[in-house]
Amino acid sequence: MNFDDFFKKAFGGERVDPFEYQLRLAEGQWPDLLDVPTGMGKTAAVVLAWLWKRGWRGGERRPCPDSGMPRRLVYCLPMRVLVEQTEETIREWLTKLGICDKAGEGKVSIQLLMGGADDLKSWAEFPEEDMILIGTQDMLLSRALMRGYGMSRYQWPIHFALLHNDCLWVFDEVQLMGAGLATSAQLEAFRRVFPLAKSSRTLWVSATLNPEWLATVDMRPHLGSLIPCALGEQDRRQASDRLQAVKSLQKAPVTLTNETGKDHAKTYLDRLCKLVLENHIEQSQTLVIVNRVERAQRLFQSLCEQRPGKPDLLIHARFRAAERAAQAQRLRDQGVADRIIVATQAIEAGVDISSKTLFTELAPWASLVQRFGRCNRYGEHNRDGARIFWVDIESGKDLMLPYDTDALANARNKLTGLTSASPQNLPATDEARPLTAVLRRKDLLDLFNTDPDLSGFDVDISDYIRDSDTPGVQVFWRDFEDDPNTPKPQGSPDRRELCPVSIGQAKDLAKRKDVTLWQWDSLDDRWVKLDRAPRPGMTLLARASDGGYGTVIGFDASLRKPAVPTLAIGTPPPENAYGEDWRSHQNKPVGLAPHLAHAADHAGKLCDAVEEIAHRAIVVRADRWHDLGKAHEVFDATMHACDKAPAGFLAKSPCTGRHKRKFFRHELASMLGWLAQHNGEPDADLIAYLIAAHHGKVRMSLRAMPTEEADEHVKRFARGVWEGDVLPALDFDGEHSAETTLKLALMEIGEGEQGPSWTERVLKLLDQYGPFQLAWLETLVRLADWRASRAEQQGDDAHE
């Protein structure tokens, strides 16, 4: 099978010939920059070429794929767009190629990283498999910065590791990324400097690509080595209908002015609505793009009043995933005629749509080029032509949001005198990359510590992700009376329930006197009232009866009636609670010594599967010792808190009690037991760190938790472990751990009776291995433990 046949099979055998540049991607040297006009099949080019280079043929992968092509394709969309459409399109290709399946089945899986409990499962457990990860820059870059939005902090290191090792990052439509573009360049530069367990690389994709946008302080030295890919003459001949698509361009006789910009610009919207209706052609599709969600909502409502019963559609980022999925399905229905679609800039990237008539508010030139690409996209209206109307915006900060005055002025200058929006007639993009916060080496290293500061806050990474539009929060609604903890805490949100909301919109909802927003407290294991301003990345719970959302118009803080329809209810991720050890509470009891042997065995197999050779012995030994602390009397008492538990030290028990010490962490006891017997040996500190970090709850810092207490005679204590606690002797998997009295001098600053402090040891490891490799080893230890636990419960590993 050649790539031409492979490409056609992905499209169901249709007579779809790949462009010449798509062939070059699949069969030639892989580029770093892809500069291709909108509507030229960039997504298909990248995804299918990646599959080809990974060795997928005839429904299976050949033994020797391209050694330089990473296992994971990370497809990053710049805006809060209809990612579901991208996912559905790619899934169709994989299905037609016979290689689509869920993670763990040896095929290619597709995962949406959009927050919610469901995107934390399965994909991260199979680092040896090929998979495609799709998400917005908010979700993906926050995870790449060890501060994943919409997920448990205890999972941050795993996602960080898997997004920096063995990954091909694809940043689509980079001109729309804002601050995220500089961050993407800096992260690529850091991956070229810090050690990697598995090689990774980046592909920047745009219809208006300016390589100078990537000239950040650490990436600039690498600019000369970046390999570009653009259309060739054969591509231009093959795509002449698209590149020469007929699109007349004219200024609309409506302007958004300061005079008409009050009260949601009602006067302006009335005039725009009238203009749209006058120019909409029956049996065709009209697309109207405005710059603010509020204007899109009001315009859509006006159109619905004028056109009752029509299949018109509203597209913006403030919908729940459940409604977005339904919108994506309607959007893909090409058989619908006489439709007007109202959208925000969310439709600029990742959405395959075409219209005969297009209205757009003034926007930065790069954004306008994307919007123009949604009109007569494939040249289907070349015979009778298509029309584009651009709406000017008068100077005024509030009116121009989310853009700045200079960017709009530059676009206005380019539009002046321009009568055609055909791709061949559009001026090049010459704007400089906007000045934004730039992630530096020290910033990245500081982010490796996942503990909040003493005030309970995390480092705010929002400036590294967006500049004009701060990353927001996610809100979901549930039915409850006054307290979401009664009779038991509400479950964690399913991805379909989550609605992305800007910080300003969240504040508007929180200001309503009849509304209380709730956030999950992982220390107290319950929902608590939000008593401070919302911060980027939060997941907030609202009461359905308080409103704030409509399935037709999306989020609207002022909407009080009707109640928000609730969706599926999930289960709280047990790891969200600091003191929980849900993997230790299982139906089938498992002895501690057998579990340590099973974990070591799975660690070896996992290292072999991902070709981790250099540190295999270290990972295996860390897993062999990782749960030694479960012999501690506090943990052992919990394991034997019911009659179903057999005698002896247990790693897993059917008993479901809680530890008598609130914040007890067995992995800290394990680490202290290991160091007490191996301190000073080669790799002892690395193994100690991997043992301590295997739940993501004891990593770089070692201090008592807020409100943690101990008996008066205890000199030092942290995470439920008290100095002077004793670990009994244990024989396991060919090793022996002697009875050990635990010491916590490691908590102190500087050199102490146990040698260097814990923080000093971990900082030395971070300097030696770098953040990407250290997190990778941490992840392998955790995944091997998960696999051993799952196999024990399924009966695949014998238990004693």
Side-chain angles (χ1 to χ4, degrees):
M1 173 183 283
N2 57 32
F3 183 71
D4 188 80
D5 294 332
F6 182 82
F7 191 93
K8 290 177 180 177
K9 186 174 182 180
F11 283 88
E14 300 175 15
R15 295 181 179 179
V16 180
D17 295 318
F19 291 113
E20 188 268 339
Y21 89 89
Q22 294 173 324
L23 286 170
R24 276 187 281 136
L25 271 181
E27 299 174 347
Q29 185 178 24
W30 192 264
D32 304 292
L33 310 172
L34 181 59
D35 188 357
V36 176
T38 184
M40 289 289 292
K42 295 189 293 292
T43 304
V46 172
V47 172
L48 297 180
W50 172 77
L51 290 168
W52 183 259
K53 285 185 174 291
R54 283 297 299 164
W56 289 97
R57 310 283 192 279
E60 59 184 12
R61 191 163 67 89
R62 69 184 184 186
C64 298
D66 186 325
S67 60
M69 187 55 63
R71 282 186 174 95
R72 283 177 292 282
L73 173 61
V74 183
Y75 207 94
C76 182
L77 296 165
M79 321 240 339
R80 301 179 183 95
V81 298
L82 294 172
V83 293
E84 289 83 359
Q85 186 187 62
T86 301
E87 185 246 2
E88 187 176 344
T89 298
I90 295 175
R91 189 176 299 279
E92 286 182 4
W93 296 334
L94 297 185
T95 300
K96 290 172 180 175
L97 290 169
I99 59 176
C100 186
D101 211 330
K102 61 184 180 181
E105 299 300 324
K107 297 285 188 177
V108 182
S109 61
I110 306 174
Q111 312 292 332
L112 284 181
L113 273 60
M114 294 295 291
D118 42 345
D119 96 2
L120 307 182
K121 301 176 183 177
S122 71
W123 79 267
E125 300 183 26
F126 300 97
E128 71 272 39
E129 289 194 349
D130 288 8
M131 58 182 61
I132 300 172
L133 310 176
I134 306 171
T136 63
Q137 70 187 58
D138 290 22
M139 289 296 174
L140 290 174
L141 286 181
S142 66
R143 298 176 196 219
L145 295 175
M146 194 77 90
R147 289 298 183 277
Y149 291 163
M151 62 180 293
S152 165
R153 70 171 58 249
Y154 311 127
Q155 298 281 352
W156 287 348
I158 294 178
H159 287 218
F160 176 86
L162 297 180
L163 290 173
H164 285 295
N165 292 282
D166 217 355
C167 278
L168 168 63
W169 276 83
V170 178
F171 291 100
D172 195 10
E173 306 300 358
V174 299
Q175 74 282 356
L176 306 176
M177 289 181 63
L181 180 56
T183 300
S184 74
Q186 284 294 96
L187 288 175
E188 173 61 24
F190 295 147
R191 286 192 290 267
R192 297 180 179 213
V193 175
F194 288 118
L196 290 175
K198 307 294 291 183
S199 65
S200 293
R201 62 186 307 166
T202 300
L203 175 65
W204 290 278
V205 180
S206 175
T208 53
L209 186 58
N210 183 348
E212 279 299 310
W213 291 342
L214 304 176
T216 56
V217 59
D218 291 291
M219 192 63 194
R220 180 177 288 278
H222 304 286
L223 283 189
S225 65
L226 297 183
I227 301 170
C229 177
L231 296 186
E233 287 303 316
Q234 184 176 333
D235 293 313
R236 296 185 183 281
R237 289 192 298 270
Q238 189 176 348
S240 59
D241 284 350
R242 304 182 188 196
L243 298 178
Q244 300 172 18
V246 179
K247 310 178 188 183
S248 68
L249 178 66
Q250 60 184 291
K251 183 178 180 181
V254 172
T255 299
L256 178 57
T257 68
N258 285 300
E259 180 182 351
T260 59
K262 300 176 181 178
D263 190 24
H264 296 291
K266 185 179 186 305
T267 303
Y268 160 75
L269 291 175
D270 288 343
R271 293 173 181 171
L272 181 58
C273 179
K274 181 180 179 182
L275 184 66
V276 169
L277 292 173
E278 289 174 348
N279 287 276
H280 171 66
I281 300 173
E282 291 189 5
Q283 305 307 308
S284 75
Q285 184 157 276
T286 293
L287 176 60
V288 186
I289 305 177
V290 296
N291 298 341
R292 303 293 291 175
V293 171
E294 296 82 2
R295 290 205 290 271
Q297 291 172 326
R298 303 301 176 254
L299 177 61
F300 180 74
Q301 289 173 324
S302 296
L303 286 169
C304 288
E305 291 173 1
Q306 298 292 323
R307 289 165 48 87
K310 296 292 185 179
D312 296 341
L313 195 57
L314 174 64
I315 303 292
H316 60 73
R318 311 304 182 197
F319 280 102
R320 296 184 300 195
E323 281 72 45
R324 289 202 308 271
Q327 290 172 338
Q329 187 61 42
R330 292 177 60 191
L331 203 58
R332 291 170 64 89
D333 187 354
Q334 301 297 327
V336 175
D338 192 13
R339 179 166 68 177
I340 299 176
I341 298 174
V342 179
T344 62
Q345 56 269 44
I347 208 165
E348 289 176 18
V351 179
D352 188 7
I353 185 176
S354 185
S355 60
K356 184 174 177 60
T357 307
L358 171 69
F359 291 83
T360 174
E361 291 183 339
L362 184 66
W365 183 247
S367 293
L368 288 177
V369 171
Q370 292 300 312
R371 298 180 187 191
F372 295 163
R374 270 63 189 167
C375 180
N376 198 15
R377 186 174 179 84
Y378 303 109
E380 70 273 22
H381 299 299
N382 280 353
R383 177 174 297 181
D384 52 354
R387 296 181 301 166
I388 298 176
F389 298 85
W390 65 274
V391 179
D392 202 0
I393 300 177
E394 191 175 272
S395 295
K397 183 178 180 181
D398 292 340
L399 295 183
M400 291 188 165
L401 289 175
Y403 307 119
D404 63 59
T405 303
D406 291 341
L408 295 191
N410 181 62
R412 187 184 296 111
N413 290 337
K414 283 183 165 60
L415 287 168
T416 301
L418 195 62
T419 60
S420 170
S422 177
Q424 64 181 350
N425 300 132
L426 295 178
T429 299
D430 55 6
E431 296 123 323
R433 178 177 58 83
L435 295 176
T436 63
V438 175
L439 181 79
R440 301 304 302 270
R441 177 190 176 103
K442 181 181 183 301
D443 301 323
L444 180 68
L445 295 177
D446 288 345
L447 289 168
F448 196 81
N449 187 351
T450 53
D451 279 345
D453 61 28
L454 294 176
S455 64
F457 286 108
D458 287 301
V459 176
D460 185 0
I461 60 168
S462 60
D463 286 344
Y464 302 133
I465 296 178
R466 294 193 183 274
D467 49 350
S468 61
D469 187 13
T470 302
V473 303
Q474 297 195 96
V475 180
F476 70 106
W477 289 261
R478 288 283 175 79
D479 284 318
F480 57 89
E481 292 297 328
D482 296 317
D483 186 350
N485 300 293
T486 305
K488 62 180 181 179
Q490 290 285 327
S492 64
D494 182 278
R495 184 180 63 83
R496 295 167 295 172
E497 295 180 279
L498 292 171
C499 177
V501 173
S502 71
I503 292 294
Q505 290 170 320
K507 289 180 178 178
D508 288 342
L509 184 60
K511 287 177 183 176
R512 281 178 42 188
K513 295 181 179 180
D514 59 332
V515 171
T516 298
L517 296 179
W518 304 77
Q519 63 175 327
W520 181 255
D521 187 325
S522 60
L523 295 182
D524 287 339
D525 195 16
R526 63 194 305 272
W527 294 97
V528 296
K529 293 181 180 179
L530 181 68
D531 58 0
R532 59 184 67 169
R535 292 170 60 86
M538 280 184 165
T539 298
L540 301 175
L541 169 62
R543 186 171 57 181
S545 59
D546 289 339
Y549 183 88
T551 57
V552 175
I553 67 167
F555 183 88
D556 183 346
S558 66
L559 193 63
R560 287 174 163 78
K561 300 290 183 180
V564 180
T566 55
L567 301 173
I569 297 177
T571 303
E575 280 203 332
N576 268 352
Y578 188 87
E580 286 290 337
D581 282 303
W582 70 271
R583 292 182 188 273
S584 300
H585 301 295
Q586 302 288 347
N587 293 329
K588 186 182 295 185
V590 179
L592 177 55
H595 175 67
L596 295 175
H598 298 157
D601 180 58
H602 280 277
K605 292 176 180 177
L606 179 57
C607 286
D608 294 341
V610 297
E611 301 169 317
E612 176 52 69
I613 300 171
H615 303 96
R616 185 183 190 278
I618 291 172
V619 172
V620 170
R621 200 165 194 205
D623 261 304
R624 185 175 289 126
W625 281 75
H626 78 287
D627 273 351
L628 177 69
K630 289 186 175 181
H632 191 287
E633 63 172 343
V634 170
F635 194 95
D636 188 56
T638 305
M639 292 290 95
H640 291 91
C642 66
D643 296 335
K644 298 179 181 179
F649 294 126
L650 297 176
K652 314 293 178 185
S653 168
C655 304
T656 57
R658 290 195 173 189
H659 302 313
K660 63 181 181 181
R661 295 183 193 169
K662 182 177 180 181
F663 299 108
F664 181 80
R665 296 309 314 168
H666 68 272
E667 62 268 34
L668 174 56
S670 301
M671 178 271 283
L672 295 173
W674 160 265
L675 272 185
Q677 301 170 76
H678 299 279
N679 196 14
E681 294 180 5
D683 301 316
D685 284 348
L686 177 56
I687 292 174
Y689 173 77
L690 298 179
I691 291 171
H694 83 265
H695 281 285
K697 300 180 178 182
V698 181
R699 298 183 69 249
M700 292 192 70
S701 60
L702 190 56
R703 63 174 186 248
M705 301 298 290
T707 73
E708 184 175 358
E709 298 178 347
D711 290 347
E712 289 184 5
H713 69 277
V714 177
K715 181 179 179 181
R716 304 183 182 102
F717 60 92
R719 320 294 170 108
V721 177
W722 298 354
E723 190 163 70
D725 287 347
V726 176
L727 280 185
L730 185 70
D731 292 300
F732 53 98
D733 200 29
E735 301 229 26
H736 173 73
S737 176
E739 181 177 284
T740 305
T741 299
L742 302 182
K743 298 180 180 179
L744 279 166
L746 290 170
M747 295 175 60
E748 307 293 344
I749 298 174
E751 193 85 8
E753 59 184 279
Q754 290 178 277
S757 70
W758 177 248
T759 298
E760 183 179 342
R761 293 173 192 244
V762 178
L763 287 175
K764 185 177 180 180
L765 291 174
L766 188 58
D767 182 63
Q768 179 179 353
Y769 293 95
F772 306 135
Q773 190 173 55
L774 187 56
W776 169 259
L777 298 176
E778 179 180 346
T779 296
L780 293 183
V781 171
R782 293 182 69 175
L783 297 187
D785 181 27
W786 294 1
R787 291 185 176 192
S789 299
R790 181 170 59 245
E792 289 162 351
Q793 296 306 306
Q794 293 174 345
D796 298 332
D797 283 339
H799 66 281
E800 299 175 17

